[in-house]
Amino acid sequence: MLAKELISCTVLSGYNIQKDIENARFHSAFFTYEESMINDGLIHLLANGDISFAYSCSYTFSFIPCYHFFYIYEGTLTVTSGSSKSSYSKNTAALFEAGSEITYATNGKCRFYDAFILGAPLRLYHEFLPESIYYKKDSAGASVLWSHLSLISRLQGELSATDIFRISKWFNDILTELCVFIENSSKKMDCVPSYLLSVKNQMDTNYAEPMSLDDLEATYRISRYRICREFSFHFGESPMRYLNSRRIDAAKRLLLTTDLSVHEVGSQVGIENTNHFINLFKKDTGTTPLSFKQAAPVSISDLHYN
């Protein structure tokens, strides 16, 4: 029985089917499914591919209950299945356990890899790994993730016995690598200077307040160059880029849940210059704040924020 025969899609309210087809690009492959795969000790690939959306989208489809492995190349993806709901941002990997129905929602331009996988080992990986793992290529070290995903993505048609064992090994390699990375990251976080934790907390909670590198230098009596270097080392991006990401995330929420103007939204998240706000927003999402708001269906605020 082919996994492809078990999939069906339902476009959510607020969508035109033709619009959805024009918006999405799928490069997918489907493979054979048998019930014995659930407990035979291997990790089996049921389907996989790269998916991209040009603008806000939300859709639901049905599939056999399985795990999904995601890697987000661009944008933000929200995944919902039953009572489970997770949001993933750029440069994150995740292992998501889905029931027979799953909903994807994007709040702008988005591109990601998705593998539908099944097998007994996945339960233990799922229990150990956090909801999402920030895993940039330039900070992951000698990683197998991207090379293995490339190998898996090339597979088409009937899988040989050797292919099945290779796939299981590749996914075990990827998930084991993420487990080791998480453990090392936890140890690394124990060594984060206390002032950096304070800086990050300040940005998380007071992102709307005026904040510059000069302000941080004056507050913590540490040079801006050292702050930038150490913040980037421990958190994977510069402090101002991190701050702007928090502000844009907050702006998305306001755009989808209020009637505030673009200028008012920018002001409320701490970016008074409207042109600067629009440029930052477009760099993060691939679209302007107004286009982002207009493209979102009425139901998307419910999916993201209720």
Side-chain angles (χ1 to χ4, degrees):
M1 174 167 52
L2 292 180
K4 189 172 184 178
E5 295 171 358
L6 299 176
I7 190 168
S8 62
C9 294
T10 304
V11 180
L12 295 180
S13 60
Y15 270 85
N16 175 281
I17 293 178
Q18 184 61 38
K19 177 181 178 182
D20 194 61
I21 292 172
E22 291 173 353
N23 178 35
R25 291 182 178 272
F26 297 82
H27 301 282
S28 303
F30 293 82
F31 304 99
T32 301
Y33 163 74
E34 297 176 2
E35 289 188 12
S36 61
M37 293 177 174
I38 298 173
N39 298 309
D40 67 6
L42 298 174
I43 296 177
H44 294 276
L45 179 65
L46 304 180
N48 84 128
D50 289 322
I51 304 174
S52 61
F53 295 95
Y55 43 79
S56 298
C57 180
S58 177
Y59 71 96
T60 296
F61 64 92
S62 299
F63 198 79
I64 61 172
C66 64
Y67 289 88
H68 289 249
F69 178 80
F70 296 103
Y71 189 80
I72 314 301
Y73 296 107
E74 182 178 15
T76 302
L77 175 71
T78 297
V79 183
T80 306
S81 182
S83 60
S84 299
K85 180 178 179 180
S86 297
S87 291
Y88 310 121
S89 56
K90 181 180 178 181
N91 296 323
T92 59
L95 185 64
F96 184 91
E97 184 177 15
S100 58
E101 188 172 275
I102 186 168
T103 298
Y104 291 169
T106 68
N107 56 10
K109 189 176 181 181
C110 183
R111 182 172 67 89
F112 59 95
Y113 171 83
D114 182 11
F116 302 57
I117 50 180
L118 195 65
L122 295 171
R123 179 177 58 83
L124 293 176
Y125 286 121
H126 187 258
E127 289 177 359
F128 184 84
L129 291 170
E131 188 173 278
S132 65
I133 305 105
Y134 184 75
Y135 204 57
K136 283 185 70 175
K137 201 167 187 176
D138 58 3
S139 61
S143 172
V144 302
L145 187 149
W146 290 274
S147 61
H148 281 12
L149 290 187
S150 177
L151 291 170
I152 295 167
S153 296
R154 295 175 194 170
L155 297 169
Q156 297 287 334
E158 286 293 320
L159 299 176
S160 68
T162 302
D163 288 333
I164 291 170
F165 283 108
R166 282 174 175 164
I167 289 168
S168 185
K169 176 189 181 299
W170 289 335
F171 275 112
N172 272 300
D173 287 348
I174 290 169
L175 295 170
T176 299
E177 177 179 287
L178 291 174
C179 289
V180 172
F181 176 77
I182 288 301
E183 184 178 21
N184 290 340
S185 295
S186 298
K187 293 176 181 177
K188 185 176 171 183
M189 285 300 293
D190 291 339
C191 301
V192 176
S194 58
Y195 88 89
L196 278 185
L197 295 175
S198 179
V199 170
K200 182 176 180 296
N201 181 65
Q202 183 180 350
M203 292 178 173
D204 288 336
T205 56
N206 300 318
Y207 55 81
E209 298 298 321
M211 205 178 308
S212 68
L213 289 175
D214 288 338
D215 294 330
L216 295 176
E217 185 176 58
T219 299
Y220 295 98
R221 298 179 182 277
I222 296 172
S223 77
R224 54 189 292 167
Y225 305 105
R226 179 183 165 190
I227 293 173
C228 283
R229 183 179 67 253
E230 294 187 344
F231 193 100
S232 298
F233 174 77
H234 288 286
F235 300 118
E237 57 188 333
S238 70
M240 299 316 295
R241 185 168 183 176
Y242 181 86
L243 174 61
N244 285 330
S245 294
R246 301 286 73 74
R247 287 170 168 171
I248 297 303
D249 285 344
K252 292 174 186 175
R253 179 190 294 269
L254 290 173
L255 288 165
L256 294 176
T257 58
T258 72
D259 292 323
L260 294 175
S261 68
V262 170
H263 172 73
E264 290 170 328
V265 168
S267 295
Q268 286 213 10
V269 300
I271 308 173
E272 293 291 341
N273 185 306
T274 304
N275 288 333
H276 184 50
F277 170 58
I278 292 172
N279 288 334
L280 286 176
F281 194 95
K282 190 171 183 179
K283 184 176 180 180
D284 184 89
T285 65
T287 188
T288 65
L290 184 59
S291 296
F292 171 83
K293 184 179 181 71
Q294 291 173 340
V298 173
S299 60
I300 200 167
S301 60
D302 296 329
L303 284 168
H304 283 278
Y305 303 114
N306 287 345

